[in-house]
Amino acid sequence: MRTEQRAGSAPTGIIRRYFDHLPVSDETPIVTLHEGGTPLLHSERLSEEMNAEVWLKYEGLNPTGSFKDRGMTLAISKAVEEGSEAVVCASTGNTSASAAAYAGRAGLTCAVLIPKGNVALGKLAQALVHGARVLEIDGNFDLALNLTKEMAQAYPITLVNSVNPFRIEGQKTAAFEIVESLGRSPDLHVMPVGNAGNITAYWRGYREAKRAGWSQTLPKMFGFQAEGAAPIVRGEPVADPKTVATAIRIGNPASWIGATEASASSGGGIYSVRDKEIVESYRNLAEEGLFVELASAAGVAGLRQLKQRDLVPPGCVVTCVLTGHGLKDPDWAIAGAARPKLVPAELGPILQELDLG
Ligand SMILES: *Cc1c(COP(=O)(O)O)cnc(C)c1O
């Protein structure tokens, strides 16, 4: 079989690239949109501010605009291998966007169950264009998730929420890429935490990279929840989580244990940041050319907090994950911004308006 790849480069897509480190075999049909291989960008401004070497893993450049694609390529490939006819998830966000795209690529039916009255149409746009069957359930999110679990137990339907173990396996490859780019592990790794699957995945990735001899050390893992949705920080589920960062608005994380294990055994921590700090970092990143989701900015806001707590040693190497693309939520981006000013179609007034005349 001819394998798709970019001219003159290594195979693209995380399954081909890390074949020997993932639960796949020659029998696994690879369903890919060439996810992964995202840029690790050096941030001059944050490096200066932190007196450290700060690198940003820009996961918004994955095919559907978030890191969810790394897990979804594997989850959907395994679903096809196992003979599933359909996949299902309970989500109104990036999971359903990714599931819909990869299911479409594989020719599988994709069902998305969303809780009634909780329809964030902006975020559902991707699921809809990729042809997912979106059903609104007369009940809350927990009920929707329970129904998807029942569907997966009784029928040849695969659940692709993050309880699917292949999701975390695929997502660990981002840590492999960081180690490959830096030629070592970072000293500190900082990221947002919602359902906590991703921090679990990065920690696994860093440990496997060390075991494989690609790095000699392990980073301290720091995860940041939003203050109004910080169950791990509080030590108990939050019944009504609130934050502007919808992708981390989670009251009872599925991978809670994975997150505490990562932070405790690496000497890091799970803390919270306020919405105001998230928005400020969101704007700073945008000014530096990086348009991210609000949730993605929680990691950078968290790094600033670590600096204040004196937890960023001078000159250390830091990686921060920017989990999703800002275009996912354009309403937020333009809210409060000044509307473009109307000027005559003449050079003079234009230059004057721009203070360039
Ligand atoms: C899913 C998601 C998160 C949270 O990741 P978890 O694995 O649930 O902790 C953060 N940011 C974005 C953009 C996401 O899509």
Side-chain angles (χ1 to χ4, degrees):
M1 192 189 89
R2 271 165 62 106
T3 57
E4 273 182 21
Q5 55 188 82
R6 264 197 297 248
S9 69
T12 42
I14 59 124
I15 298 180
R16 288 200 184 94
R17 190 147 173 227
Y18 297 109
F19 195 88
D20 296 338
H21 303 270
L22 293 169
V24 287
S25 71
D26 291 336
E27 269 70 63
T28 312
I30 298 176
V31 182
T32 179
L33 289 163
H34 291 189
E35 59 294 317
T38 54
L40 185 68
L41 298 161
H42 182 253
S43 170
E44 305 251 332
R45 294 181 203 185
L46 282 169
S47 295
E48 195 174 318
E49 187 183 330
M50 297 298 136
N51 187 24
E53 198 183 303
V54 181
W55 297 87
L56 304 172
K57 184 68 169 161
Y58 194 17
E59 289 287 279
L61 292 195
N62 275 296
T64 77
S66 84
F67 72 82
K68 299 293 196 295
D69 294 341
R70 293 180 185 274
M72 207 53 76
T73 180
L74 193 59
I76 299 289
S77 296
K78 296 301 283 187
V80 175
E81 183 178 355
E82 287 158 10
S84 261
E85 291 157 17
V87 297
V88 64
C89 66
S91 161
T92 54
N94 290 330
T95 294
S96 60
S98 187
Y102 282 82
R105 190 115 174 113
L108 298 179
T109 298
C110 177
V112 177
L113 302 192
I114 56 175
K116 189 182 170 193
N118 223 337
V119 196
L121 265 187
K123 280 227 169 180
L124 268 181
Q126 288 174 290
L128 294 171
V129 293
H130 294 306
R133 308 286 300 274
V134 181
L135 299 176
E136 200 175 350
I137 300 303
D138 192 5
N140 62 17
F141 180 83
D142 292 334
L143 189 58
L145 186 61
N146 284 340
L147 285 166
T148 61
K149 285 179 182 166
E150 278 178 44
M151 286 167 74
Q153 262 158 26
Y155 300 92
I157 301 174
T158 300
L159 180 60
V160 294
N161 276 94
S162 67
V163 291
N164 180 317
F166 297 122
R167 290 267 312 275
I168 288 175
E169 274 294 302
Q171 285 169 208
K172 77 183 180 189
T173 59
F176 292 171
E177 290 177 12
I178 287 176
V179 169
E180 208 174 308
S181 299
L182 295 176
R184 51 165 287 180
S185 278
D187 299 306
L188 308 183
H189 178 91
V190 186
M191 61 190 296
V193 169
N195 246 321
N198 212 24
I199 191 169
T200 304
Y202 269 92
W203 180 233
R204 186 182 297 175
Y206 281 125
R207 278 178 304 166
E208 288 186 15
K210 182 162 179 269
R211 224 173 292 143
W214 303 336
S215 66
Q216 268 64 60
T217 58
L218 291 169
K220 288 185 175 167
M221 302 288 293
F222 289 97
F224 286 87
Q225 304 191 296
E227 195 175 61
I232 300 176
V233 178
R234 287 157 166 254
E236 59 181 13
V238 174
D240 186 18
K242 287 195 179 74
T243 169
V244 291
T246 52
I248 53 171
R249 191 156 68 200
I250 306 282
N252 193 7
S255 299
W256 190 314
I257 293 170
T260 49
E261 213 264 324
S263 64
S265 51
S266 72
I270 309 286
Y271 304 117
S272 65
V273 284
R274 290 182 303 176
D275 276 6
K276 203 171 140 256
E277 296 164 325
I278 293 175
V279 173
E280 198 176 295
S281 289
Y282 165 89
R283 299 214 186 285
N284 292 155
L285 284 164
E287 281 161 14
E288 201 175 344
L290 292 160
F291 193 15
V292 302
E293 260 192 63
L294 281 168
S296 309
V300 173
L303 175 58
R304 293 190 155 125
Q305 184 188 108
L306 293 180
K307 174 76 177 169
Q308 277 163 16
R309 293 173 174 223
D310 233 3
L311 289 173
V312 183
C316 72
V317 175
V318 183
T319 49
C320 236
V321 187
L322 305 179
T323 48
H325 202 287
L327 278 174
K328 295 246 179 195
D329 199 352
D331 288 342
W332 178 265
I334 55 173
R339 293 198 52 84
K341 190 167 179 182
L342 186 65
V343 293
E346 293 163 33
L347 215 47
I350 290 172
L351 292 174
Q352 198 179 352
E353 199 56 51
L354 297 173
D355 295 323
L356 294 172

